[in-house]
Amino acid sequence: MANFVKIFDTTLRDGEQSPGCSMNLAEKLEMAHQLERLGVDVMEAGFAIASPGDFASVKSIAKNIKNTTVASLARALTKDIDAAAEALKGAKYPRIHTFIATSDIHMQYKLKKTKEEVLATAIEMVKYAKKFCQDVEFSAEDASRSNPAFLYQIFEAVIAAGATVINVPDTVGYTSPDEFVALIKGIKENVPSLHKADLSVHCHNDLGLAVANSLAAVRAGATQIECTINGIGERAGNAALEEIVMNLQTRKDLYQLDCRVHTKEIYRTSKLLSSITGVRVQPNKAIVGENAFAHESGIHQHGMLANKSTYEIMTPESIGLTENKMVLGKHSGRHAFEDKIKSMGYELDQEALTIAFEQFKILADKKKDVTDRDIEALVCRRMVQIPEAYKLDRFVINSGNTITTTSSMRLLSKTGHILEEVVSSYDGPIDASYKAIDKLVGRKFILEDFVINSVTGGTDAQGEVNVKIKNKDRVYNGHGVSMDIVEASILAYISAINNMFYEQEEKKEV
Ligand code: KIV
Ligand code: ZN
């Protein structure tokens, strides 16, 4: 029987720290539910002391997630541990994850502490965390550049103090598989109490080796891997969960290890994250990239037709990627629509289902072939529902290459008011529309990013727009889908504005 390796997901903490990947409370909660469905053993929900927003998200995830351990990060400081413990109070399986740096370079320049002081702090803080929580993880930050003998000493001491997991981060993505294996073996041989704790690894991808280093470490005996969806994270990111898990599954002959992740949820989890953050994965990204299962060359296609195993080492179905074929038409009823989205792994409540079905009907009326990818674009974000400060009622554009564009915009406010504005611009329909919305909302936002993609091929494809807008140093994501790309752009802008109001309300409540 294969042994198990635990999957610790830190998308909501280390991942969320990466530029452009911040999420609001509703988005984090939706992602947390999806991570639970994915079957990760642990999800790191945030860094409770970092901000009131982080605290609120850890608290809300802790309250709502019942089948997965929920962790909060804390520096080795009592105030951090207090915040983590408080935020985790409602969790069924809470874990406090405390860390301190152990490399000479960090101890000397960042902490300005001797190694004796670091050792004493680590022991004291693990003992302190144990007062609140049975499950305590200790990380030796920058472990891969630390003196191994010091690591053995500190790990032995924190296990004696009650740590249930010791974590070996390659914080700056510096190590190599051989070197990391030697470090893991050294820890196994020189930490006598290791059998009482899980041995975890946490690799960053600065040299492109995060997944290779994590997999090498499990072959050497690590029992937990820390990783993120799509490999998002500080700088070049963290080890990508989907790559780790599919390596374990596809090369079981080599690793002889199982994990509890339901691989069929991988595609959907990846999509949800991209759609929330607006950060898409590169087309050739392993496992979840658009081209990961596309066989273009004639030789490959010929081989695939003869026998799939010639060029396919894993199936698209194994990650939950359904074939992109015509699925439903304008005569399909609500039941057929509901069955379809269920078979794609989406669960919507009745209200979200009604809205998605209405949108599907509008789409099916306009578009000949409604495919899996179209439906996915419609329902993917339907579960992340936030109160809408503004709704698009209607817009009219007058545009051409010889005239100034005019956008007449009508919005409905949550107070039930109809707001109307007409704006002209030399810079086209999107500029005119965004200026009109700014006037109606009474603010001037900076458009930090605007990305448009087509959901499928064809001139009748839906356009999917992700925007990032800035207001007083904070950036907000917005997302819109429509067959009309100007409408998709307007919807994305309004959704970013709604996210801003939602976050401001959220802050008032904390
Ligand atoms: O990269 C790192 O060292 C970390 C720790 C806090 C685990 O993220
Ligand atoms: Zn990290």
Side-chain angles (χ1 to χ4, degrees):
M1 239 249 317
N3 284 322
F4 271 94
V5 62
K6 291 180 184 153
I7 301 294
F8 175 119
D9 178 275
T10 182
T11 306
L12 297 171
R13 198 276 300 170
D14 222 350
E16 211 244 353
Q17 274 170 231
S18 55
C21 287
S22 59
M23 296 174 232
N24 64 36
L25 195 147
E27 292 166 338
K28 282 189 189 165
L29 192 57
E30 181 52 35
M31 213 39 226
H33 280 299
Q34 181 54 28
L35 290 170
E36 188 179 37
R37 276 192 287 269
L38 180 66
V40 300
D41 296 278
V42 187
M43 67 176 82
E44 190 159 51
F47 190 178
I49 190 91
S51 70
D54 268 55
F55 182 88
S57 343
V58 177
K59 193 172 167 167
S60 159
I61 292 170
K63 198 172 105 203
N64 285 287
I65 296 298
K66 294 295 166 220
N67 300 313
T68 308
T69 297
V70 177
S72 173
L73 189 67
R75 287 166 299 183
L77 297 171
T78 51
K79 62 174 182 188
D80 281 36
I81 294 171
D82 288 340
E86 183 61 30
L88 289 170
K89 256 184 186 159
K92 185 153 179 215
Y93 306 110
R95 173 180 295 179
I96 294 177
H97 176 192
T98 187
F99 73 99
I100 191 162
T102 50
S103 64
D104 289 346
I105 197 161
H106 276 229
M107 290 191 291
Q108 185 181 345
Y109 295 109
K110 189 180 82 171
L111 298 176
K112 300 190 185 359
K113 278 185 193 270
T114 62
K115 64 193 215 322
E116 289 72 23
E117 286 169 326
V118 166
L119 177 65
T121 307
I123 298 169
E124 199 189 332
M125 289 304 109
V126 168
K127 284 188 180 157
Y128 186 69
K130 278 299 258 196
K131 290 188 186 156
F132 305 101
C133 190
Q134 182 281 325
D135 192 1
V136 174
E137 173 166 337
F138 170 77
S139 283
E141 192 189 6
D142 206 16
S144 55
R145 293 193 301 166
S146 302
N147 177 341
F150 182 47
L151 282 182
Y152 308 152
Q153 187 186 8
I154 202 164
F155 284 152
E156 182 62 20
V158 293
I159 295 172
T164 45
V165 184
I166 54 161
N167 184 31
V168 188
D170 180 24
T171 303
V172 289
Y174 181 72
T175 199
S176 74
D178 289 351
E179 195 177 67
F180 208 42
V181 163
L183 180 62
I184 297 299
K185 284 191 174 156
I187 293 169
K188 286 194 73 180
E189 281 158 19
N190 293 287
V191 179
S193 302
L194 192 61
H195 62 281
K196 296 186 195 157
D198 265 312
L199 173 55
S200 172
V201 289
H202 173 113
C203 297
H204 280 267
N205 205 29
D206 299 66
L207 291 171
L209 290 173
V211 170
N213 288 335
S214 308
L215 290 168
V218 283
R219 290 199 79 198
T223 55
Q224 175 178 284
I225 302 180
E226 302 196 355
C227 43
T228 59
I229 303 299
N230 297 345
I232 65 166
E234 287 270 12
R235 308 178 307 278
N238 289 54
L241 180 146
E242 61 280 3
E243 295 179 25
I244 303 260
V245 168
M246 290 314 285
N247 266 277
L248 294 176
Q249 165 150 318
T250 310
R251 297 306 312 275
K252 202 172 263 174
D253 58 320
L254 184 68
Y255 295 104
Q256 309 265 323
L257 282 171
D258 273 330
C259 69
R260 291 186 183 81
V261 167
H262 308 300
T263 63
K264 288 197 167 193
E265 292 288 335
I266 285 180
Y267 174 71
R268 186 179 154 193
T269 316
S270 161
K271 268 272 165 199
L272 178 65
L273 181 66
S274 294
S275 131
I276 288 176
T277 58
V279 178
R280 279 165 71 107
V281 297
Q282 86 239 29
N284 61 328
K285 160 90 176 62
I287 318 296
V288 291
E290 212 170 287
N291 298 343
F293 293 94
H295 298 270
E296 284 291 330
S297 94
I299 297 176
H300 287 206
Q301 286 174 353
H302 175 76
M304 286 283 288
L305 285 175
N307 186 322
K308 283 198 169 180
S309 64
T310 48
Y311 285 102
E312 196 173 73
I313 57 163
M314 58 197 158
T315 64
E317 292 78 25
S318 63
I319 63 153
L321 181 57
T322 49
E323 230 181 291
N324 188 27
K325 53 180 188 236
M326 209 280 261
V327 284
L328 296 170
K330 61 178 175 185
H331 301 299
S332 308
R334 190 181 162 112
H335 273 306
F337 180 73
E338 197 173 348
D339 283 352
K340 179 66 207 169
I341 60 170
K342 268 197 192 140
S343 76
M344 291 169 74
Y346 292 96
E347 283 162 39
L348 301 189
D349 62 30
Q350 284 309 310
E351 196 191 330
L353 186 69
T354 304
I355 301 171
F357 183 62
E358 276 166 16
Q359 288 184 337
F360 159 73
K361 279 293 198 190
I362 296 170
L363 181 67
D365 234 5
K366 293 187 192 158
K367 194 169 187 284
K368 201 161 97 280
D369 296 338
V370 179
T371 67
D372 278 11
R373 297 293 86 82
D374 287 315
I375 295 193
E376 213 168 73
L378 287 184
V379 301
C380 187
R381 295 293 303 279
R382 273 282 139 237
M383 291 145 301
V384 186
Q385 281 180 347
I386 58 161
E388 292 176 312
Y390 295 95
K391 253 189 190 155
L392 173 65
D393 185 28
R394 65 175 196 220
F395 69 95
V396 177
I397 303 284
N398 186 22
S399 186
N401 62 350
T402 53
I403 55 166
T404 307
T405 301
T406 309
S407 171
S408 315
M409 186 67 56
R410 191 153 115 173
L411 303 185
L412 300 179
S413 78
K414 71 171 178 205
T415 46
H417 290 94
I418 295 175
L419 311 164
E420 284 185 280
E421 187 66 61
V422 182
V423 166
S424 299
S425 164
Y426 290 113
D427 294 323
I430 294 170
D431 186 60
S433 302
Y434 284 11
K435 282 186 174 137
I437 296 171
D438 281 359
K439 279 198 167 179
L440 293 175
V441 173
R443 306 211 187 183
K444 203 164 167 13
F445 301 104
I446 296 167
L447 185 63
E448 287 269 299
D449 199 12
F450 177 97
V451 182
I452 181 158
N453 287 291
S454 68
V455 172
T456 57
T459 49
D460 65 349
Q462 293 192 92
E464 190 171 27
V465 174
N466 283 298
V467 298
K468 291 188 196 300
I469 59 167
K470 196 168 177 181
N471 182 47
K472 294 188 190 141
D473 287 340
R474 275 286 293 143
V475 174
Y476 304 91
N477 295 327
H479 176 258
V481 182
S482 169
M483 271 175 76
D484 175 337
I485 56 171
V486 177
E487 183 174 27
S489 309
I490 292 170
L491 291 172
Y493 198 66
I494 296 172
S495 112
I497 292 171
N498 285 336
N499 270 337
M500 180 195 76
F501 283 111
Y502 168 71
E503 247 180 69
Q504 289 174 351
E505 281 307 307
E506 210 181 80
K507 274 203 190 117
K508 274 189 222 150
E509 277 166 29
V510 174

